[in-house]
Amino acid sequence: MLEPQCHQTRLGISMKSLMFIFLFSLLVYGASGVVESVSVMVGDSFTLHADVTQIQFDDVIEWRFGKDLIGRIDENLAFVNDNEKFRDRVHLDYQTGDLKIRNVRITDFGLYKLEINGDRGISTRTFNVSGVNNPVSDGVKLMPVVERDSVILPSGLTEIQRNDQITWKFEGTLVAQINQTAGLFSTYDDVLDGRFVDRLQLNQQTGSLVITNIRPNTSGLYKVDIFKSGSSYTTHKTFSVTSIDGGNKLLVKEGTSVTLESGVSQIHRDDVIMWRFEHEDTVIAKISNGNSTTFDGTDGRFRDTLELDSMTGSLTFRNIRTTHAGLYHLDIIGNRRTIFKRINLSVCPRCWSLWVLLAICLAVVVGAVFLIHLIHHLIKKDNGVL
């Protein structure tokens, strides 16, 4: 009777050992079979997290896209394979092992694999990156806004999940933050000399940022970082907000000269300046690479009329005509600034002033008196009276 009991005990120990080995294997190797889905829009950026607080000296970390090696960290030395596919768009953090891809393209969609080899063994993680094509985006979304108007910077989310973390920064300074777990929906409008006071609002459903009463000092780069709950990646979006001066109106007389001011004292070397006439959206003047050019327009209405200041970009009209009236756009785009400006130009037709009319009337009267006197003189001459 003891032998079967002993046999049963040994069998139980064997089954427990097998179960322990199975669970241990599942714990160690099962993660490698899990593929985490990453959704991103073309033109945005994303960061894949290695979830390593501090890389050990003997750790070897490798990131691959398909079979191609993207980056490697070995003995705290980071190497990035800067090939044509990812040229100037890959960043590898040698302290955390995180991989960041900027300005995402369709060709970047696919499987990314992380492998960490260290004293604790080999661990792997796989990310499937996919998303939506947006051919308009080039990594930075331009958001021109008429001065004093408002603008919404979309997060791209339809609804915030409980553990999502969202941060908004303006030129590197934190201006808004969302952390639902901590019950945090905050705007920091007292930063940067208080320029954002009473101008920032957060949409508590989507995390989008609303900026009201746009001014030149609130124009610039806005960046949002979105860390999704339960994930190991962060998505990034960048917006370039520019204020457009929409209140410039000029009224001039036909035949006079007028200058449309650019509003800048000096053009930078990398600035591209364009003046456009809203009629048919015609470019009538341009400065690029130090070369300034004026154009006659599609119907020749600007021929022998325009002068472009190569130092400031201001545009002068000589002998302006009523056909020159309309809305003009100025675009100044460079690495250090982006300016949009609109000027509504009205031209009064030539009109005779009161003094001119009086002079004409006087000339008519004098002419009439002279003519009457001449006729009277001729009549007397014909009658032999001199």
Side-chain angles (χ1 to χ4, degrees):
M1 296 294 293
L2 293 176
E3 288 185 4
Q5 187 174 1
C6 252
H7 177 72
Q8 185 177 1
T9 304
R10 288 172 186 166
L11 182 61
I13 294 173
S14 177
M15 289 297 294
K16 288 181 179 179
S17 299
L18 290 174
M19 182 62 70
F20 175 80
I21 293 171
F22 172 76
L23 291 175
F24 179 80
S25 301
L26 184 63
L27 180 64
V28 174
Y29 301 107
S32 63
V34 177
V35 179
E36 185 168 347
S37 296
V38 180
S39 180
V40 63
M41 181 172 288
V42 170
D44 290 346
S45 305
F46 66 87
T47 299
L48 304 180
H49 300 293
D51 286 345
V52 176
T53 54
Q54 182 66 47
I55 297 175
Q56 302 302 315
F57 180 76
D58 56 352
D59 284 347
V60 177
I61 297 178
E62 288 186 347
W63 283 96
R64 294 182 181 273
F65 176 68
K67 295 181 179 180
D68 298 332
L69 180 66
I70 300 177
R72 174 187 173 95
I73 297 177
D74 186 359
E75 296 181 352
N76 289 334
L77 297 176
F79 159 76
V80 174
N81 185 9
D82 198 15
N83 56 25
E84 289 296 331
K85 179 176 178 59
F86 292 105
R87 183 166 301 280
D88 300 326
R89 298 189 298 115
V90 176
H91 175 73
L92 188 59
D93 191 321
Y94 71 89
Q95 291 185 336
T96 64
D98 294 347
L99 178 73
K100 182 175 183 179
I101 308 292
R102 297 186 295 269
N103 191 10
V104 175
R105 303 170 183 171
I106 291 182
T107 54
D108 300 335
F109 292 167
L111 293 178
Y112 291 77
K113 187 174 182 179
L114 166 68
E115 181 177 293
I116 303 177
N117 190 344
D119 288 340
R120 291 163 294 181
I122 300 176
S123 63
T124 62
R125 176 171 290 170
T126 304
F127 300 85
N128 182 22
V129 177
S130 61
V132 180
N133 183 24
N134 180 12
V136 177
S137 176
D138 61 353
V140 178
K141 298 171 181 62
L142 296 179
M143 308 285 286
V145 187
V146 175
E147 193 171 333
R148 297 179 184 273
D149 282 358
S150 302
V151 64
I152 299 176
L153 306 185
S155 68
L157 302 177
T158 55
E159 187 174 0
I160 303 172
Q161 301 303 314
R162 178 169 180 78
N163 295 320
D164 289 350
Q165 298 178 26
I166 301 174
T167 58
W168 284 95
K169 293 183 179 180
F170 171 71
E171 303 288 356
T173 299
L174 183 66
V175 295
Q177 188 175 16
I178 295 176
N179 186 333
Q180 284 221 55
T181 304
L184 184 65
F185 285 82
S186 301
T187 56
Y188 306 102
D189 54 9
D190 57 343
V191 299
L192 301 173
D193 303 323
R195 69 184 66 181
F196 289 105
V197 171
D198 299 327
R199 293 184 184 175
L200 298 178
Q201 300 174 16
L202 276 171
N203 186 309
Q204 297 195 9
Q205 179 176 348
T206 65
S208 298
L209 182 67
V210 181
I211 311 169
T212 61
N213 194 11
I214 289 291
R215 298 294 180 90
N217 64 354
T218 55
S219 297
L221 289 180
Y222 291 79
K223 294 184 179 181
V224 59
D225 296 334
I226 304 172
F227 180 77
K228 294 293 296 176
S229 59
S231 70
S232 296
Y233 70 94
T234 302
T235 56
H236 318 276
K237 294 178 183 290
T238 304
F239 304 88
S240 178
V241 176
T242 54
S243 63
I244 304 173
D245 188 350
N248 290 320
K249 295 182 180 180
L250 285 179
L251 177 62
V252 297
K253 282 186 177 181
E254 187 179 18
T256 60
S257 297
V258 63
T259 298
L260 306 185
E261 302 289 347
S262 67
V264 299
S265 58
Q266 187 175 4
I267 298 173
H268 296 158
R269 182 182 296 273
D270 55 16
D271 284 342
V272 176
I273 291 92
M274 283 195 303
W275 283 97
R276 294 181 290 115
F277 183 46
E278 191 170 70
H279 177 68
E280 297 181 354
D281 199 27
T282 306
V283 176
I284 59 174
K286 183 177 181 179
I287 297 178
S288 179
N289 296 323
N291 298 319
S292 58
T293 310
T294 59
F295 305 92
D296 296 337
T298 54
D299 54 5
R301 71 177 66 192
F302 299 102
R303 186 175 291 114
D304 301 325
T305 303
L306 302 176
E307 292 181 14
L308 187 59
D309 190 324
S310 60
M311 295 294 294
T312 65
S314 298
L315 185 65
T316 299
F317 291 74
R318 302 294 183 194
N319 189 23
I320 198 166
R321 300 186 294 275
T322 55
T323 54
H324 298 148
L327 189 60
Y328 291 83
H329 297 260
L330 169 64
D331 302 339
I332 302 178
I333 301 175
N335 293 331
R336 287 169 285 181
R337 63 186 175 192
T338 301
I339 299 173
F340 297 99
K341 193 173 185 178
R342 296 187 300 179
I343 299 177
N344 195 347
L345 180 62
S346 299
V347 181
C348 288
R350 297 179 187 271
C351 56
W352 301 108
S353 67
L354 180 61
W355 292 107
V356 173
L357 290 176
L358 288 175
I360 293 174
C361 292
L362 181 60
V364 171
V365 171
V366 171
V369 171
F370 176 79
L371 183 61
I372 292 172
H373 179 74
L374 179 61
I375 293 173
H376 182 68
H377 176 76
L378 293 174
I379 292 174
K380 285 183 176 181
K381 184 177 180 181
D382 290 339
N383 293 333
V385 180
L386 290 175

